[in-house]
C-alpha cells in the first residue's frame, strides 16, 4: 500500500470515529445505542464507496473480527464481578449453558419448519443468535443507570458475560458437522477435548500472570496491562495449537484473573473496557460497510419473524423453564432477564467466522443476522428501561455500579496531616468545636506518640498531630485508611461495630450514612449503603 493511500485510510478512519463520537451526544439523548450509529455510518460509507458483501470482503473482515473476538471474550470473563454476584452464580451458569442450548434448539426448529430456510443456514442462524451479547447488555445498563431489582443485574452480567463460549461451541460443532470432520458419535469426545484443553491452558496462563506480577523485572508502571495483553494472545494461540477452544481458553483466563486482586486492577479493567469498546465501534462500522440494500429488503420479513419469535416466545420460554422455580429472583426480575437478551457484536463476529470457514454461503444468512442484531439493539435496548419500570423491576435501593468488576468495595483514602502549634486556631479546642470545610473530616489525633480516634469530646492540644480525610492528597506518613462500602449482600449488615470480629485489629473511625458523618462506638449498628472509614495500624 502506498503511503498516500495509507494516510488517506487513516484520515478516513479517524474522521469516522470523531464524527461518530461527536454525534453520540445528540444520538444518546434519544436513548439509542451508539453501536447503531456506527452501523449507519458504515452503511453510508458503503454506499459512497460502492462496497458490498463478497467473498473478498468476508476474507478481509473475518480476521479482524476474530482478533476482536479474542479480546471481547477475555473481557467477558475478566469483567465479571464474582464477589457481588456470587449468590447468582448457579442461576447465571444455568442460563449461560442450558439457555444457549434451549434457544438454539427452538430457533433451529422454527427456521427449518416454519421459515423453510436451508438446513445449514437455519442451524448457523440459530447458533450465532443463541448467546446474548455482554457488551451490549453492559452498555444499556450503564447508559440508563438501571438499578434493577434484587439479583437481576448480576444475573444478566454473569449470563451475558459467560454464554459466548457455549454459543461458539455450538457453532463449531455445526461447522465441523457440515465439513464432515466430526460425526454425531464424536461430538461428545470433541467437546471434552476442546473444553479440557481450554480449561488447562486458561488456568496455566492465569498462574503465569500471577508469577510475572511477583517478579520485578519489567520496569514499566503499567506492566499489568502489557502482561495481560500478551497472555491473551498466548492463551488463545496455545489453546488452538493443542486442539482446544481458543476463545474459551482466554475466557477462562479472564475469569480467573478477574476474581483476583492485584495492583492497578481497576486501571487495567478500564483499559480493556475502552479497548473492547473501540473494537466494537470499528467492527460495527465494517459490518455496515458491506450491507447491501437489495438483500436487506428481501430478507426483512423473515428476519423480523425470527426477531419477534426469539424475543417474545423463545427467550421468555427458555427463561421460564430455567427460572420458574428460582426462589431468589422476583417475578419482575425474571421479566427483565427475559427481555434483556440483547444480540450484538458477538452474533456478527460469529457470522463472519462461519462464513469464512464454511464458504460464502449466501447473502441471506449475513443480512438476516444483521437485521436481527439491529432490531435487538434498537427495540430491546431502547425499551429495556420501559419494560423494567412497568414490570416493577427497578429498585432504587440497589446500586448498579456494585455489580460490575470496576466497582471498588475497598478504596484507599488520602489524608492531610496538620501540626498544631500554640498559635494554631485549633489549639486547646475540642474536636466538636472545630470548623471544617464540608469535604474534610478529622479522623485521628496523635498526642505524645499516642494515637486516638477524634471523637467530639477529644481536646486538641499544642504539639498534637491531626489527621483529616480529604480529597486525594499524598502523604508520607505510615497511616493507612480505607473506606468499605456496605452493599446489600455484605455480611456486616445489621451488626454492631463491636461484633465485627474481622475488625478487631483495626479501628472504624467514622461512617458515612445518608451523606452525614457519624463517629461510632461499639454499639453503633452498621446499615446497608453505609461507608465505613477504617484505620489500619502499620506494623514495623
Amino acid at each position: 500500500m502506498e503511503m498516500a493511500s495509507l494516510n488517506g485510510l487513516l484520515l478516513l478512519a479517524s474522521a469516522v470515529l470523531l464524527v461518530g463520537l461527536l454525534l453520540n451526544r445528540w444520538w444518546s439523548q434519544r436513548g439509542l445505542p451508539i453501536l447503531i450509529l456506527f452501523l449507519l455510518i458504515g452503511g453510508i460509507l458503503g454506499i459512497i464507496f460502492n462496497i458490498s458483501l463478497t467473498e473478498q470482503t468476508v476474507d478481509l473482515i473475518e480476521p479482524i473480527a476474530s482478533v476482536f473476538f479474542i479480546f471481547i471474550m477475555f473481557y467477558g470473563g475478566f469483567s465479571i464481578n464474582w464477589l457481588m454476584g456470587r449468590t447468582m452464580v448457579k442461576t447465571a451458569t444455568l442460563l449461560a449453558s442450558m439457555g444457549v442450548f434451549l434457544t438454539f434448539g427452538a430457533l433451529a426448529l422454527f427456521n427449518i419448519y416454519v421459515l423453510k430456510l436451508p438446513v445449514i443456514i437455519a442451524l448457523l442462524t440459530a447458533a450465532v443468535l443463541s448467546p446474548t451479547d455482554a457488551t451490549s447488555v453492559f452498555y444499556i445498563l450503564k447508559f440508563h443507570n438501571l438499578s434493577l431489582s434484587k439479583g437481576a443485574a448480576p444475573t444478566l452480567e454473569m449470563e451475558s458475560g459467560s454464554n459466548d463460549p457455549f454459543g461458539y461451541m455450538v457453532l463449531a460443532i455445526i461447522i465441523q458437522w457440515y465439513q464432515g470432520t466430526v460425526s454425531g458419535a464424536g461430538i461428545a469426545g470433541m467437546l471434552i477435548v476442546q473444553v479440557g484443553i481450554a480449561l488447562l491452558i486458561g488456568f496455566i496462563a492465569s498462574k503465569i500472570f500471577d508469577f510475572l506480577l511477583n517478579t520485578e523485572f519489567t520496569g514499566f508502571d503499567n506492566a499489568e496491562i502489557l502482561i495481560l495483553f500478551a497472555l491473551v494472545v498466548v492463551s488463545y494461540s496455545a489453546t488452538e495449537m493443542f486442539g482446544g477452544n481458543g476463545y474459551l481458553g482466554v475466557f477462562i483466563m479472564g475469569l480467573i484473573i478477574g476474581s483476583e486482586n492485584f495492583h492497578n486492577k481497576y486501571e487495567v479493567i478500564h483499559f480493556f473496557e475502552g479497548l473492547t469498546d473501540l473494537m466494537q465501534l470499528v467492527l460495527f462500522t465494517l459490518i455496515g460497510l458491506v450491507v447491501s440494500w437489495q438483500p436487506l429488503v428481501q430478507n426483512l420479513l423473515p428476519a423480523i419473524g425470527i426477531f419477534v419469535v426469539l424475543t417474545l416466545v423463545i427467550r421468555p420460554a427458555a427463561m421460564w423453564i430455567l427460572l420458574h422455580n428460582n426462589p431468589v429472583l422476583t417475578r419482575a426480575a425474571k421479566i427483565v432477564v427475559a427481555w434483556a437478551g440483547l444480540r450484538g457484536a458477538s452474533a456478527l463476529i460469529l457470522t463472519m467466522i462461519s462464513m469464512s470457514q464454511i464458504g460464502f454461503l449466501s447473502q441471506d444468512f449475513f443480512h438476516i443476522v444483521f437485521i436481527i442484531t439491529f432490531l435487538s439493539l434498537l427495540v430491546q435496548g431502547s425499551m429495556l428501561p420501559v419494560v423494567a419500570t412497568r414490570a416493577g423491576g427497578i429498585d432504587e435501593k440497589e446500586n448498579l455500579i456494585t455489580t460490575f468488576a470496576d466497582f471498588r468495595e475497598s478504596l484507599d483514602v488520602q489524608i492531610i496531616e496538620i501540626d498544631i502549634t500554640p498559635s494554631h486556631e485549633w489549639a486547646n479546642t475540642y474536636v466538636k468545636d472545630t470548623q471544617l470545610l464540608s469535604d474534610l473530616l478529622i479522623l485521628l489525633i496523635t498526642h505524645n506518640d499516642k494515637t486516638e480516634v477524634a471523637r467530639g469530646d477529644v481536646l486538641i492540644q499544642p504539639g498534637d498531630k491531626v489527621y483529616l480525610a480529604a480529597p486525594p492528597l499524598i502523604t508520607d506518613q505510615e497511616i493507612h485508611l480505607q473506606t468499605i462500602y456496605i452493599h446489600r449482600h455484605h455480611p456486616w449488615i445489621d451488626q454492631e461495630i463491636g461484633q465485627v470480629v474481622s475488625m478487631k485489629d483495626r479501628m472504624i473511625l467514622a461512617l458515612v450514612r445518608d451523606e452525614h458523618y457519624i463517629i461510632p462506638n461499639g454499639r453503633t449498628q452498621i446499615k446497608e449503603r453505609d461507608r465505613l472509614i477504617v484505620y489500619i495500624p502499620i506494623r514495623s
Side-chain angles (χ1 to χ4, degrees), residues 244 297 310 350 403 409 447 455:
V297 173
L310 180 61
L350 292 175
T403 66
E409 183 181 2
H447 179 71
R455 301 185 186 279

Side-chain angles (χ1 to χ4, degrees), residues 104-277:
F104 165 75
L107 188 54
L109 292 174
F110 176 78
N111 291 342
I112 294 172
Y113 293 106
V114 178
L115 295 182
K116 307 295 183 182
L117 295 177
V119 173
I120 185 60
I121 294 180
L123 294 176
L124 289 174
T125 302
V128 301
L129 293 173
S130 58
T132 57
D133 187 68
T135 46
S136 298
V137 172
F138 295 172
Y139 172 82
I140 296 297
L141 290 178
K142 289 183 175 181
F143 176 76
H144 294 288
N145 193 27
L146 294 179
S147 298
L148 301 180
S149 57
K150 183 180 178 181
T155 298
L156 283 173
E157 179 205 356
M158 297 173 71
E159 180 215 1
S160 59
S162 58
N163 64 9
D164 280 340
F166 294 98
Y168 179 76
M169 283 191 288
V170 172
L171 180 65
I173 291 171
I174 294 171
I175 291 174
Q176 294 191 38
W177 166 78
Y178 181 77
Q179 294 173 335
T181 57
V182 64
S183 62
I187 289 176
M190 182 192 75
L191 284 177
I192 292 172
V193 171
Q194 287 200 349
V195 173
I197 292 174
L199 288 171
L200 178 63
I201 294 182
F203 175 78
I204 292 173
S206 69
K207 296 308 168 187
I208 293 174
F209 175 75
D210 294 339
F211 170 76
L212 294 176
L213 282 189
N214 293 323
T215 56
E216 299 180 1
F217 68 93
T218 58
F220 293 102
D221 291 335
N222 295 308
E224 300 85 3
I225 293 176
L226 301 177
I227 294 171
L228 266 183
F229 196 95
L231 283 176
V232 168
V233 179
V234 169
S235 178
Y236 172 81
S237 301
T239 305
E240 288 286 328
M241 286 177 60
F242 287 102
N245 184 323
Y247 296 116
L248 180 60
V250 296
F251 175 81
I252 295 299
M253 185 188 81
L255 197 64
I256 297 172
I257 296 175
S259 66
E260 300 174 354
N261 289 318
F262 55 87
H263 181 62
N264 285 338
K265 177 180 178 179
Y266 303 100
E267 288 73 16
V268 173
I269 290 174
H270 291 149
F271 170 81
F272 280 100
E273 181 181 30
L275 179 65
T276 53
D277 284 347

